Amino acid sequence: MNSPISPLSPKLAATTAKFRNRLPTQLRRAISIYVACICVLLIILNVDVMPSIPSPSGVFKRNAVPRKTQKSGSLGSFPRKIWQTWKIDPFSFEERDSLTAKTWTLKNPSFRYELLTDSNDMNYIEHHFGPGGFNRMDIVDLYRSVNATIIKADLLRYLIMYAEGGVYADIDVEALRPVQRFIPERYDESQIDMVLGVEIDQPQFKSHRILGKKSQSFCQWTFMAKPRLPVMLKLVENIQGWLTAVAKKQNVPIGEVILDFDEVISGTGPSAFTIAILEEMNKRSSSAVSITWDDFHDLDESKVVSGILVLDVEAFAAGQGHSDSGNHNARGALVKHHYHASNWPSRHPRFSHPVYGEVERCNWNPECVKKWDEDVESFELLPSEEQQKRIDEKKSEDNQPLMNPNVGLELRELNLGPVS
């Protein structure tokens, strides 16, 4: 016997057939679609109250060791980039340059390393300062027109730091410590825009006719900056105005100006850099007292002034033999400048007295500088015939082979370090 609820039951089949006959086929299809839409709508409206299914990545995150909050000095808001510039690409480096450059990546494995060369620097400037970038075609034209290698090198480091920020280091600078050590732990790096170091701290010579402009300066062979700092752009604009004035004075295009050592130092190098930094510090300061080099003379430990962290001379300029710069074995020494790429003075010579030579050879030794000054002053009081006689004697002496081995010893006894 068939069950009353069996599909084969005649009673159930008759009832179902009777019901189907009362509803048109199109209406039955519409009801099905309507019911489906209501179900979808209910799911959408109530999805926020439905329990969510944890994703595998979410499970892994909960099980992973949480990262520590970045402490002061961890470079949280400084770009993790290291910039260098050189004539050729790193695949063509001499072993000396390659080993020095590698210290930056070895000490800072999480940083990006960038090198601009004579082949790609113009493309970089056009990309960042052309119409698609900051739209400063005057800067693009300036960079294109400059031919002096050292002027281009100075301009390029400032433009890079403005456009992207990070750490800049000359190609002959070796990293002794990780960049993380640039900012001592006691500082909040979010409140710091730049990190600088003292290079030359010899204010007793600030009135010297040759050494004066170079006697107080921050180091620009290594420094760190956040991008878009107005001081970097202002520095470039200062250089632009200065070069334009020099070219006008010499009645030549900017690409043909002739510059000596002191003009480079004061126009684009450490002196120009220092003047711009001090002006920026004063611009930011709310104090009625001006910020001067006196605030950084004999600096024993780092200090933050107007959002700019200044490190003592040992940090970036150890081993100079002056300015109480210490040595590279000290714990506070962060980099080591090898000077092997610093041959630009051969194209922009220092002032050299025809008899007594360059005062820079004294390397800021007070007794040596004093004697040079006295000798030059005495020379200038001589009759012109006697001056010429001494010049001729000096030339003749220079042309003679060095016979006295004690001459080198006498120079070493002056304890002269690398000439700055």
Side-chain angles (χ1 to χ4, degrees):
M1 176 182 283
N2 293 333
S3 167
I5 60 172
S6 170
L8 300 177
S9 170
K11 183 177 181 181
L12 180 60
T15 303
T16 304
K18 184 179 180 181
F19 180 75
R20 281 202 308 268
N21 292 333
R22 292 181 179 177
L23 294 173
T25 301
Q26 293 182 350
L27 182 58
R28 291 201 305 271
R29 292 176 179 172
I31 291 175
S32 300
I33 296 173
Y34 178 72
V35 171
C37 290
I38 291 176
C39 292
V40 172
L41 182 61
L42 288 174
I43 291 173
I44 293 174
L45 293 176
N46 292 279
V47 70
D48 59 331
V49 298
M50 296 175 66
S52 59
I53 301 174
S55 66
S57 61
V59 173
F60 293 143
K61 286 179 182 177
R62 285 195 294 272
N63 293 335
V65 178
R67 292 185 179 182
K68 293 182 180 179
T69 303
Q70 289 184 322
K71 298 179 181 178
S72 297
S74 62
L75 286 183
S77 55
F78 275 87
R80 290 181 172 270
K81 297 178 183 177
I82 295 166
W83 294 92
Q84 294 192 298
T85 63
W86 194 226
K87 302 177 233 179
I88 54 178
D89 66 82
F91 297 107
S92 305
F93 276 2
E94 295 180 17
E95 183 179 11
R96 174 191 62 185
D97 296 329
S98 180
L99 292 174
T100 304
K102 283 179 181 178
T103 62
W104 288 98
T105 56
L106 291 173
K107 291 286 192 304
N108 307 281
S110 65
F111 279 59
R112 243 175 68 190
Y113 176 83
E114 301 271 359
L115 177 82
L116 292 183
T117 71
D118 291 352
S119 299
N120 59 28
D121 57 341
M122 195 67 240
N123 288 336
Y124 181 89
I125 298 302
E126 289 174 343
H127 174 75
H128 286 283
F129 293 89
F134 298 112
N135 198 24
R136 288 295 302 266
M137 286 306 298
D138 57 325
I139 291 177
V140 175
D141 293 339
L142 170 69
Y143 191 83
R144 185 183 290 111
S145 64
V146 171
N147 288 319
T149 305
I150 185 60
I151 303 300
K152 248 181 161 57
D154 284 338
L155 275 171
L156 186 55
R157 74 189 67 187
Y158 305 145
L159 291 170
I160 290 170
M161 289 295 100
Y162 180 74
E164 298 196 57
V167 178
Y168 172 82
D170 277 359
I171 199 66
D172 54 1
V173 174
E174 174 187 352
L176 299 178
R177 305 281 187 271
V179 171
Q180 187 173 2
R181 290 278 298 276
F182 283 19
I183 304 178
E185 292 184 357
R186 65 180 178 275
Y187 297 119
D188 179 0
E189 55 85 21
S190 67
Q191 302 301 311
I192 297 171
D193 290 331
M194 291 188 74
V195 181
L196 312 171
V198 172
E199 179 188 353
I200 299 178
D201 183 26
Q202 298 288 340
Q204 66 268 40
F205 296 109
K206 64 183 179 182
S207 299
H208 195 275
R209 59 178 176 172
I210 295 174
L211 300 176
K213 291 182 179 180
K214 298 169 283 193
S215 63
Q216 306 168 134
S217 64
F218 295 122
C219 172
Q220 46 97 267
W221 64 57
T222 303
F223 66 100
M224 183 165 69
K226 292 178 181 177
R228 313 291 197 276
L229 294 184
V231 64
M232 289 291 98
L233 190 60
K234 183 65 167 63
L235 179 53
V236 172
E237 291 171 344
N238 289 347
I239 294 171
Q240 183 179 30
W242 170 74
L243 276 175
T244 301
V246 172
K248 183 177 180 181
K249 183 178 180 181
Q250 296 183 7
N251 196 28
V252 296
I254 285 178
E256 297 178 15
V257 296
I258 299 174
L259 304 168
D260 62 28
F261 180 88
D262 292 324
E263 288 171 320
V264 172
I265 292 293
S266 61
T268 68
S271 297
F273 182 71
T274 301
I275 290 171
I277 295 298
L278 290 175
E279 287 178 351
E280 178 68 12
M281 288 177 173
N282 280 293
K283 184 178 178 180
R284 294 182 176 196
S285 176
S286 58
S287 173
V289 180
S290 294
I291 298 167
T292 67
W293 189 260
D294 293 341
D295 294 291
F296 309 103
H297 176 50
D298 285 338
L299 191 65
D300 290 328
E301 60 179 3
S302 59
K303 64 194 299 185
V304 176
V305 179
S306 300
I308 298 174
L309 172 60
V310 180
L311 306 177
D312 63 23
V313 66
E314 191 177 66
F316 293 156
Q320 298 181 101
H322 62 76
S323 305
D324 195 22
S325 59
N327 60 72
H328 298 108
N329 295 324
R331 188 174 182 275
L334 302 174
V335 305
K336 181 178 182 179
H337 193 188
H338 291 276
Y339 297 96
H340 58 248
S342 304
N343 63 348
W344 62 267
S346 63
R347 296 183 293 277
H348 306 276
R350 296 178 173 90
F351 171 77
S352 182
H353 191 273
V355 176
Y356 301 108
E358 301 169 357
V359 67
E360 284 92 346
R361 289 185 60 81
C362 290
N363 200 37
W364 307 97
N365 180 287
E367 293 181 5
C368 180
V369 173
K370 181 180 178 182
K371 186 176 188 311
W372 188 91
D373 287 342
E374 291 172 349
D375 289 342
V376 170
E377 185 178 356
S378 298
F379 178 87
E380 291 173 350
L381 296 175
L382 295 173
S384 57
E385 296 82 3
E386 181 64 23
Q387 289 183 358
Q388 188 59 50
K389 178 183 176 181
R390 296 200 178 188
I391 291 172
D392 292 340
E393 290 175 349
K394 176 63 176 173
K395 287 180 179 178
S396 177
E397 179 184 325
D398 290 342
N399 291 330
Q400 294 293 324
L402 184 63
M403 302 297 293
N404 184 1
N406 292 325
V407 172
L409 178 61
E410 290 170 1
L411 288 174
R412 288 194 293 273
E413 286 176 348
L414 289 173
N415 192 28
L416 302 183
V419 177
S420 298

